[in-house]
Amino acid sequence: MPPTPDTASGDPSQQTAALRKDKGKLLQILGVGFGIAVAVGNAISAGIVRTPGDIAARLPNHWLFFAVWFGGAFYALVSAFQLSELGAAIPKSGGQYNFSRRALGDYAGFIVGWSDWLSTCGTTGAVGIVIGEYMGHMFPVLDGVYKTGGAVRQFANNGLHLSGDISRIQITAVIAIIFFAVLQWKSIHFGSKVQNFTTVIKGLVFFVMVIACFSFGGGVRHAAEAAANARGIAPTVIPVGAALITALLFGIQATIYTYDGWDGVIYFGDEIKNPGHLVPRAIFASLGSVVVIYLLVNAAVLYVLPMSEVAGNNFSLGLAAQRVFGPHGDFIFRSIMVVALFSSLNALHLMGARVIYAMSRDGLFFREVSRINKGGTPTVGLLLSALVGVAFAVFSFDRVIAMLAFFFVTNYLLSFTSLFVLRMRQPEMERPYRAWGYPWTTALALLGSLGFLVEAVREDPKNSYLTLIALACSYPVYRVLKLVSSEKVSHEAI
């Protein structure tokens, strides 16, 4: 059997560890509670506002609407069986990167790691901007433009505009991103406490929102329905035949993307106590928590609003809050979302820092990025992740983010493939948890990922071609980074 990246002699990760015996290391102090907190913090984000309206526009029927949410939850459960086996068998911090590298080699790991890290940083920037927009709406002093009177420069070729005037929304975004990075700098112990606290607050405010909707929203919906009937508004049309199948597939795909984040614990494999036992527990508990929250929030919204007002409305949760809480509803809803996004921002920093750390640890990036302080924080990785997140918040990288969406699907596809490969090549590997229903559930998850990839290419062919070009160009970059990292390790070992 050919040596794997983890068993080959001269493994850069082992060399790097040997060269920094006096440095800090990842601390194995995290439990199931943190695994759930980081997953819920990552998964429950802005998607809870937009997705219900998109689905209701295509499936304006309560039974069909909830059917796709349950369908997405079923597929996520099938996927959770697979990642639970991989996460328990390969308990390393860094996410799905570790699985692909172990099974398919360094280059596959490089592709997964880089796309995952950039996606996480891009999401960090986007979350920061949404926080800035909500804060600007709540407090007008934080909206608008800060006038500096500086000269304006324009780079027409790449569409980048720099001006002496600075958006206050972007300033808020940058402050939020930096603030949560600073909170995590000292130690993983403190960073995990911040994550647990913000996630608990997030859960409580959504719970209060749901209770309020069910307590006071019934009469509001009936009044809205009666008003619509009096105005002679035509009822929504439910698709049939092929149109219905297409709408159902779109809805399931949308819910799967919205649920994503339930596997947050796999980014902390080195830091979870008894990972073989606790990683699967955290994954299933996280998925269950995310699904329950989304189902309750959707049920609460549809208890307050008629389906016709939810369909196509990208702010249906906010509208429900306005109907229940009156004039203060908008402020209350935006406050809830800011709290939810704080939790997401903290989780994104935690995960992003560990992806780029893991690649550095394994010799696929500059070795300095694998530095860890005494508190167990990959400080250089955290700094880089925060800076790239700030760049995404300040500048427009819509094309990059669109291309990374293809890698999102591909990463899961490679993880499911890795499970098949490891079962065949390394049957002796210790597997504290084995995927339920293997190989059938694994094949189902793999086919689902292939289907999503095909659909993504069909919907956005231009960016799919650009993604293939970027993939081809990535190999020389991979070779150079690996060479530079290996030379630095060899030089310092002499």
Side-chain angles (χ1 to χ4, degrees):
M1 181 181 70
T4 66
D6 285 303
T7 60
S9 60
D11 185 355
S13 64
Q14 297 174 3
Q15 295 177 14
T16 301
L19 290 171
R20 61 163 201 264
K21 291 180 180 179
D22 59 332
K23 305 294 182 181
K25 63 179 182 179
L26 296 178
L27 305 179
Q28 198 172 30
I29 61 173
L30 304 176
V32 172
F34 169 80
I36 298 172
V38 75
V40 173
N42 180 37
I44 308 296
S45 188
I48 200 169
V49 179
R50 185 181 186 89
T51 305
D54 292 341
I55 295 175
R58 295 182 180 238
L59 296 167
N61 172 273
H62 288 75
W63 292 103
L64 295 175
F65 178 88
F66 281 104
V68 297
W69 284 97
F70 279 105
F74 173 76
Y75 180 79
L77 177 62
V78 171
S79 301
F81 293 142
Q82 322 314 318
L83 293 189
S84 291
E85 174 172 327
L86 291 168
I90 310 172
K92 286 191 170 186
S93 296
Q96 297 183 56
Y97 152 80
N98 294 297
F99 312 150
S100 295
R101 178 176 177 267
R102 176 72 175 262
L104 306 174
D106 281 348
Y107 181 55
F110 177 83
I111 294 298
V112 172
W114 268 101
S115 61
D116 192 9
W117 182 63
L118 288 175
S119 296
T120 302
C121 294
T123 305
T124 298
V127 169
I129 289 295
V130 175
I131 290 173
E133 290 174 345
Y134 282 178
M135 294 289 286
H137 193 279
M138 294 163 60
F139 306 102
V141 70
L142 299 178
D143 198 3
V145 174
Y146 177 70
K147 299 287 186 179
T148 64
V152 177
R153 292 182 293 163
Q154 177 175 345
F155 299 86
N157 291 334
N158 58 15
L160 175 62
H161 300 270
L162 296 178
S163 168
D165 298 335
I166 304 173
S167 166
R168 290 174 180 170
I169 288 176
Q170 290 177 321
I171 293 175
T172 303
V174 170
I175 291 173
I177 292 170
I178 294 175
F179 176 74
F180 279 95
V182 170
L183 285 181
Q184 294 183 31
W185 193 272
K186 180 181 179 181
S187 68
I188 180 58
H189 178 75
F190 187 75
S192 65
K193 295 296 184 185
V194 173
Q195 188 61 53
N196 292 342
F197 176 75
T198 55
T199 300
V200 168
I201 296 299
K202 171 189 285 192
L204 288 175
V205 294
F206 275 118
F207 179 74
V208 170
M209 176 75 178
V210 168
I211 293 297
C213 287
F214 281 117
S215 299
F216 309 109
V220 174
R221 186 188 76 250
H222 295 316
E225 290 173 342
N229 292 332
R231 293 195 301 268
I233 297 177
T236 53
V237 178
I238 301 173
V240 295
L244 176 59
I245 295 175
T246 300
L248 288 171
L249 292 175
F250 167 85
I252 292 175
Q253 183 176 1
T255 59
I256 290 172
Y257 285 146
T258 306
Y259 285 140
D260 185 60
W262 48 263
D263 57 346
V265 70
I266 66 174
Y267 289 83
F268 306 90
D270 284 308
E271 299 153 275
I272 298 293
K273 295 177 289 187
N274 189 13
H277 178 62
L278 296 187
V279 165
R281 286 182 59 187
I283 286 177
F284 292 118
S286 300
L287 177 58
S289 301
V290 170
V291 170
V292 168
I293 290 172
Y294 272 117
L295 290 177
L296 284 176
V297 169
N298 281 313
V301 169
L302 288 173
Y303 189 74
V304 175
L305 302 177
M307 182 66 75
S308 60
E309 291 191 358
V310 176
N313 187 339
N314 294 329
F315 202 67
S316 58
L317 186 56
L319 180 59
Q322 293 176 30
R323 296 283 174 84
V324 171
F325 297 108
H328 303 292
D330 183 77
F331 186 90
I332 291 173
F333 166 73
R334 291 180 190 273
S335 300
I336 290 173
M337 286 308 303
V338 167
V339 171
L341 293 170
F342 281 161
S343 179
S344 299
L345 196 56
N346 194 72
L348 289 165
H349 276 320
L350 285 165
M351 295 187 296
R354 279 151 181 82
V355 175
I356 198 67
Y357 153 79
M359 296 182 67
S360 173
R361 171 197 65 197
D362 296 333
L364 299 182
F365 196 53
F366 299 111
R367 191 182 67 81
E368 290 80 0
V369 182
S370 65
R371 294 182 183 275
I372 304 173
N373 67 12
K374 292 182 179 180
T377 298
T379 48
V380 182
L382 176 60
L383 176 62
L384 281 178
S385 299
L387 290 176
V388 176
V390 166
F392 272 102
V394 173
F395 305 111
S396 176
F397 295 100
D398 292 342
R399 176 77 66 185
V400 176
I401 294 174
M403 291 168 62
L404 289 170
F406 292 92
F407 286 109
F408 164 82
V409 179
T410 305
N411 290 353
Y412 277 98
L413 189 152
L414 290 175
S415 290
F416 302 143
T417 302
S418 297
L419 182 56
F420 276 119
V421 171
L422 290 172
R423 283 285 190 114
M424 291 186 291
R425 292 184 180 177
Q426 300 182 36
E428 76 287 352
M429 176 190 289
E430 183 179 354
R431 293 176 171 85
Y433 174 88
R434 288 179 173 266
W436 182 87
Y438 176 88
W440 309 112
T441 56
T442 313
L444 178 59
L446 182 61
L447 289 174
S449 292
L450 281 171
F452 294 142
L453 184 60
V454 170
E455 179 64 16
V457 172
R458 188 189 68 82
E459 289 185 356
D460 193 356
K462 182 177 181 179
N463 282 320
S464 67
Y465 297 143
L466 292 174
T467 303
L468 288 176
I469 294 173
L471 184 62
C473 295
S474 69
Y475 187 74
V477 177
Y478 154 73
R479 297 303 306 178
V480 170
L481 284 174
K482 189 172 183 181
L483 178 63
V484 171
S485 178
S486 299
E487 287 181 348
K488 286 193 174 183
V489 170
S490 299
H491 177 73
E492 294 189 23
I494 295 175

